[in-house]
Amino acid sequence: MSSENSSQSPEQQLRKPRVAVVFGGRSSEHAISVVTAGAVLRSIDRTKYDVLPIGITTDGRWALTADDPERMAIADRTLPSVEQIAESTDGGVVLSVDPGNREVVYSEPGSVPKALGEVDVVFPVLHGPYGEDGTLQGLLELSGVPYVGAGVLASAVGQDKEYMKRVFTSFGLPVGPYLVIRPREWERVSGDGNGTGGGGAAVRARIVDFAAEHGWPLFVKPARAGSSMGITKVDGPSGLDEAIAEARRHDPKILIESLLRGREIECGVLEFEDGPRASVPAEIPPVTAHDFYDFEAKYIDSAAGLVPAPLTEEQTAEVRRLAVEAFEAASCEGLVRADFFLTEDGEFVINEINTMPGFTPISMYPRMWQESGVGYAELIDRLIQAALRRPTGLR
């Protein structure tokens, strides 16, 4: 197989397509990826597909895991991990980078490597860096293996909130005020990474000037993380150092955003045979027990969204149009969840897109499509079929 998918071999035609569900990973969203994978494994059509679950541990080892969705859920507020369900603490899974060989091999120290068969498509449900950001997608392109979701560029753009906003702006999509703090700016002069030298003072001054123009509170967040990890709402200058330290635990590049007063609206985009379509939108209502829709609200306390969002017909049409425009602007494929603010003056402002949104039982993306007439199992099937139709390489 070269830059385009070859026609199926006779052996491939006689068997069901084999789907490798790859999950876990090295990012701070490891546990949410495991939960997502459990939901996918629970619902994928086993009469139509053979399934191979592959977990990536927090230190980056590819592991053969138990096909046991029940062990991959959040239980008693405890988050799951690949390490808990890996079949071995030493064995590893290897995917060939030879585009003519899609075979997956499992090996353990002192044992003969075991061929697990060819993989026809990868369903990567990793969230965050080292999986959702184009790195895994690049490996799969080198391997010539089709995969669900966005390609290398769109994945990278979708992960880096700075360049995401730059792309949206260049296509005329409305974004809110923001400020980017790069690692060298914070570490300048002191070189200790703690912002105690001239660089840190200069950064604080920039942020205070930004707040003087756009007002407090501000949101300090990692530029390349998701699931609301590392985000702090800051009400004044005294809270900046702690918020920056928390964001930098997840990413040395951070983003400062002003508060946009309004309603939080989400919309799903799914690739159909005739192109991308938008779901009915959803609304994330104010979370009274939390300052904002943070990790705890999303995954631990299960804050519920309103599906469909209580919008006018005109507002619904507009946000759906903008969601598809964002999908196209970033050259996305497969799926996207687009997040907006509906401001007090009635305008939609795009906050971000997520190229691999969560598929947990409470995730908004599958709920929006359920309300749009595409059930969970059909949603998974459509994503796999779209990946199988699409060639790897330049397209």
Side-chain angles (χ1 to χ4, degrees), residues 17 45 47 60 105 107 110 118 124 144 157 186 204 207 213 242 246 273 280 284-285 300 310 315 328 334 346 392:
D45 187 351
T47 68
V105 175
S107 62
E118 288 192 348
V157 169
W186 182 248
R204 293 185 195 90
I207 296 173
E213 180 178 358
E242 185 177 349
E246 172 60 18
E273 291 81 357
V280 300
I284 308 300
I300 304 300
Q315 289 171 329
E328 298 283 29
T392 53

Side-chain angles (χ1 to χ4, degrees), residues 342-354:
L342 177 56
T343 63
E344 293 175 337
D345 60 5
E347 298 297 322
F348 283 103
V349 174
I350 187 163
N351 183 39
E352 64 183 44
I353 59 171
N354 192 315

Side-chain angles (χ1 to χ4, degrees), residues 13-148:
Q13 294 172 4
L14 290 173
R15 63 170 173 80
K16 294 180 289 188
R18 183 171 290 115
V19 181
V21 179
V22 180
F23 60 96
R26 295 162 56 192
S27 82
S28 55
E29 298 175 78
H30 177 98
I32 298 307
S33 175
V34 177
V35 176
T36 293
V40 171
L41 290 171
R42 186 180 296 110
S43 301
I44 195 168
D45 187 351
R46 303 302 179 106
T47 68
K48 192 170 183 177
Y49 303 106
D50 284 332
V51 179
L52 177 66
I54 299 175
I56 302 178
T57 64
T58 52
D59 61 2
R61 178 174 62 91
W62 288 44
L64 196 61
T65 69
D67 187 358
D68 188 355
E70 301 308 316
R71 295 171 58 194
M72 302 166 74
I74 298 174
D76 298 325
R77 304 177 72 90
T78 300
L79 299 174
S81 70
V82 169
E83 285 82 352
Q84 294 168 358
I85 57 173
E87 294 194 350
S88 167
T89 58
D90 300 314
V93 174
V94 177
L95 177 68
S96 172
V97 293
D98 176 0
N101 177 15
R102 296 183 183 177
E103 193 154 75
V104 173
V105 175
Y106 176 75
S107 62
E108 292 190 46
S111 300
V112 176
K114 175 184 176 183
L116 301 178
E118 288 192 348
V119 167
D120 298 296
V121 62
V122 170
F123 199 138
V125 291
L126 293 106
H127 303 307
Y130 312 110
E132 191 183 353
D133 59 350
T135 50
L136 177 63
Q137 289 75 14
L139 171 64
L140 296 174
E141 292 285 352
L142 288 173
S143 301
V145 179
Y147 55 92
V148 170

Side-chain angles (χ1 to χ4, degrees), residues 23 32 54 64 71 129 134 142 152 154 171 221 228 236 240 245 261 268 291 293 306 309 323 331 333 338 385:
F23 60 96
I32 298 307
I54 299 175
L64 196 61
R71 295 171 58 194
L142 288 173
V152 175
F171 277 83
K221 59 176 63 176
S228 299
L240 282 176
R261 300 188 185 280
D291 270 350
Y293 194 44
L306 304 175
S331 298
E333 294 167 297
Q385 290 299 318

